[in-house]
Amino acid sequence: MRPRFHAIILLDICISFAPLSRADEPTSKPAIECRTARECLLRGNYERAAALYDEMGKKDADAVSAACGRADVDLQTGDYTTGIERLQKVKGDRVPAWHTALAALLVETGQYDKAIDHLQSALRLDESWHPARLRLGELQELLGRTSTARDTYQAFEDAMTGTSLPDRAEDLTALGRGFYRYSTLTRHADIVQRTRHVLTGVFQESFDFVDSLYWPARLAAAELLLEKHQASEAKEDFDAVLKQNPRAADAMVGLGTIALENWEFDDVQRQIDAALKVNPSSVAARVLLARMRMTERKYADAATAATDALKTNPNSIEALSVLAAATLRIGDTAASKAAEDRVRKINPTPALLHQELGVWLAAGRQYPDAEAHFKKAVEFAPTWSEPPTSLGQLYMDTGEEALARRSLESAFALDSFNRHTHNVLELLDSLDKFTRLETEHFIIKYNAKEDAVVVPFLAESLEATYPVVCGHFDFHPAKKTIIEMFPDHMGFSVRITGRPFIATVGACTGRVIAFTAPRGRPPFGRFNWASVLRHEFTHTITLGVTENRIPHWMTEGLAVHEEPHPRRWDVQLMLCTALRTGQLFNLESIDWGFMRPRKPNDRQLAYAQSEWMVEYITMRWGSKAITDLLRAFRERKTQPTAFTEVLKIDPPSFTRDFNTWAAEQVAKWGLPTSTVLDPTELLEQVEENENDAVLTARLAESFMVGGVLDRAHHFAGKALKLDKNQPLALQIMCNSLYSLSGSEEDDAKKLQMIADAYDHAKSLIDLQPENPTAMRVLGSIQQSRGKIDDAVTWYTKYQKRFPDDPDTFRRLAGIYLQEDKIDLALAQLERLSNLCEEEVPVVRQIANLYDDKNEPATSARWYRKAIEIDPYDTETHIGLAEVLLKAGSHAAAEKQFQLICKLQPNESIGYDGLSRVYQALGQSEKAADYSARAKKAKQRPDNTLPGEQSD
């Protein structure tokens, strides 16, 4: 951000009035008192410092210096109005520090003109008074008087390049800040060198050598580093400030700002709370809170936080700018314009306002509007590198890379020290090196050296997806969609967020889709890249239909809905648990599940419930309702308005009706719908009703749902002691015993636990012949005991109840393969592959079995499915090539064997395959050529490539 007015240059005024001896010790009682008060202030003991300054102020000779010191306390604690009154009671108009201190308090309350008057008075009294000059220059910048500010800062240039520097840390810090601002506003050619000099030769000199107590110098360094997006270095300095002064509110705000860049929302809130505890009037803390709420897409809360900041300073341009952005995102254009107008009355060329609006409009993918604001910010602040960097990022998100480079290079020319600018430009450089493949509807960019193997499949899959997804929404993008495949997750993360990690493998900014090459690397392992691309392309379409105005949950829900696989069993269980524990989101809170998950599975639940709500809307109102909702969002209607007009229901009623429908769906899945209370609540009830077996069983279930197996087992046992036939307790005991036995290392204990689980399962099945838990446990135990027929019987019954649970399909497939019942095994494996789309071995095994059955066309279809998960596996490509050749698909087989040659240029198999393909096609000359290559590859040492010679 552009530098804001700094209130943290503590004035060592009383020391300047009381000269020190050569031993640097106070020589008089007033000087000793002032030194003590200053140390208390700098260490954060504001109460003690205030008391000392108040006591000193009782003496006429010390009244002005004490009042100035007391004003520093007021600045730190936010007691601005009282501080102004206190200073005005002291006759200090002949003292530069008095005018400077009063100006600082006036600025915090938005009284800018009065502050300027006092700062000019200070400089008339002493034109070398650096703190006053710095504050005046910053205030002039704040008000848009850039040329005047540049003239004000000129003195810092003269002083820095002169023969000597100030002795006091306060003056030296002010000089460093003013010199940096002059260098920026004059676009000095050595801005990077000057920035480094200010950081090390001025600020570090101040706190390392001149005055180790003077943490504001370190704070100045931290804030400058943060402005340059040097977050790790800034954090070190902010932390160091807080070690010296645990109550430095501005350092807390700085740490909160860093945490917000990393989406560490809980840490942001902690820092805000800590800062406001020290300084309840902190505008910076409330603006940070507003920006956090904006990031969370809680725009109404952001507007409230910004409004609270304006209660302290009604002319805060930062607060007004965030307020303008928040009300605009809400849809209250009148309020947004009113906030803009207030800013323009303060500063007629408000670059910060336009930068803020651009940032949040770009975050909402309102790219044309954001572009206009960024351009305004560039126009109004031509020396500020942040707007052109943001504009460059916007052009990258919209696929306009030539414009992105132009904007980013202009930002880099302004400030190559800015890490954000450097990172985005470096990313663009890497993208420029990508190879480009253009299809009818897509532009695919990829690292040819690492990922060329997957591109043909990518192109084929995307073009097959295009008419399906576009047809569902009756929308075709005006421009080709850009697909960027990054060879590693870090490159992808930087592309999307500017940070080295993002908790997903694919993302869409509208026209541009970026994703990680599906190599199966950490942290996400294997994923079905075809499903991911279909999901992301659905975003492209739904964003396009609505001009990027679709609610986040709906675009995610529709994208998941478009994925070609059924809802996974673990997702069904998660939805069931959320329903029973009252943790389903409502329409107002579901976006928080994506933006600020409170629990480990909140983001996954948000995806799943979003898709579930899409399913509900489609089932109740028909698919046309989705189309009508999208049209309403395109017309800039809010979610409540769109729901009321299209579905004839308001959001609270929708949530209520959805929850009722959700319970019905869970019941259809064969899962329980009864409410599960919090264990703490149930514990109290059980203690009051010790002989209630049902209540004790429900407590056991609550622990089971929470994953606390040992406690679940304990209370299930207590319930069975009260009633040996309590069904819920038997079910919990079956589950807990069988699960706990898996981690038991003592063989005797393990066998006993399994035996007990079997006995409980038999009791349960006698009571409830259709109980699925009993069926699954009995089947598993009988299989482990070698009683295969019994196991098959139980598994088959269980599958009828729970056809989406992959466990028994896996088990039965293994049994049938052992018994050489290939057709039965295939039926189980095919269902399993549909339920677990990311398991390459399962899909490849199906392909192999069909090959063994001499059904090459079917085998090829399954090999292609395996490639959708792992396109880099050579064995899969070999298998596909062989069955294609066997099926007589020579052209397709030729492509596969050519690809194998690229994957394994050192092996003979690809060349041998091509020889056989050309032999089948009657191209004997080519066949002979590749036969010779195969023979040569067989003779070549493993560590050499074609064209290389071994030692």
Side-chain angles (χ1 to χ4, degrees), residues 451-513:
D451 300 314
V453 60
V454 73
V455 174
F457 302 98
L458 215 69
E460 182 182 354
S461 177
L462 285 165
E463 287 297 342
T465 295
Y466 182 88
V468 178
V469 177
C470 291
H472 288 169
F473 298 96
D474 192 24
F475 178 83
H476 295 77
K479 295 181 180 180
K480 292 185 179 183
T481 303
I482 297 170
I483 310 295
E484 296 174 351
M485 179 169 60
F486 288 83
D488 57 65
H489 188 263
M490 180 177 289
F492 158 71
S493 298
V494 172
R495 171 66 176 90
I496 297 302
T497 66
R499 301 190 302 273
F501 179 79
I502 181 175
T504 186
V505 294
C508 172
T509 61
R511 186 189 176 198
V512 179
I513 293 170

Side-chain angles (χ1 to χ4, degrees), residues 893-945:
E894 179 186 13
K895 287 182 179 179
Q896 280 299 308
F897 280 122
Q898 286 174 341
L899 191 151
I900 292 163
C901 290
K902 292 179 180 178
L903 283 170
Q904 292 191 331
N906 212 30
E907 302 293 333
S908 63
I909 190 164
Y911 307 112
D912 177 70
L914 285 171
S915 176
R916 288 182 285 125
V917 168
Y918 294 131
Q919 190 70 44
L921 291 171
Q923 300 177 25
S924 55
E925 198 172 313
K926 276 191 171 183
D929 177 39
Y930 278 96
S931 178
R933 295 191 193 191
K935 185 177 180 180
K936 186 176 181 180
K938 289 178 182 178
Q939 296 171 349
R940 187 184 302 120
D942 290 342
N943 64 342
T944 61
L945 295 174

Side-chain angles (χ1 to χ4, degrees), residues 112 283 287 291 306-307 309-310 313-327 335-336 338-347 352-353 356-357:
Y112 301 144
V283 171
V287 168
R291 289 188 175 127
T307 302
L310 292 169
N313 180 355
N315 293 318
S316 167
I317 291 179
E318 278 193 291
L320 285 168
S321 298
V322 179
L323 179 61
T327 49
S336 181
E340 289 188 42
D341 290 343
R342 287 175 65 182
V343 171
R344 291 191 184 91
K345 287 181 180 178
I346 303 165
N347 180 344
L352 179 60
L353 167 69
E356 196 81 31
L357 288 166

Side-chain angles (χ1 to χ4, degrees), residues 576-577 579-581 663 666 671-677 698 701 728:
C576 170
T577 299
L579 172 76
R580 299 183 68 200
T581 56
V666 169
L671 295 172
T673 59
S674 58
T675 301
V676 175
L677 298 178
R698 288 181 64 197
E701 182 186 35
L728 180 57

Side-chain angles (χ1 to χ4, degrees), residues 534-536 538-539 554-563:
R534 181 163 175 154
H535 177 110
E536 299 304 334
T538 303
H539 285 316
M554 182 170 276
T555 189
E556 294 295 355
L558 288 168
V560 175
H561 200 61
E562 280 292 327
E563 293 177 23

Side-chain angles (χ1 to χ4, degrees), residues 611-627:
E611 191 271 339
W612 213 15
M613 292 198 298
V614 166
E615 181 184 339
Y616 171 59
I617 291 171
T618 304
M619 287 183 64
R620 179 171 172 182
W621 288 280
S623 58
K624 185 177 182 299
I626 297 293
T627 305

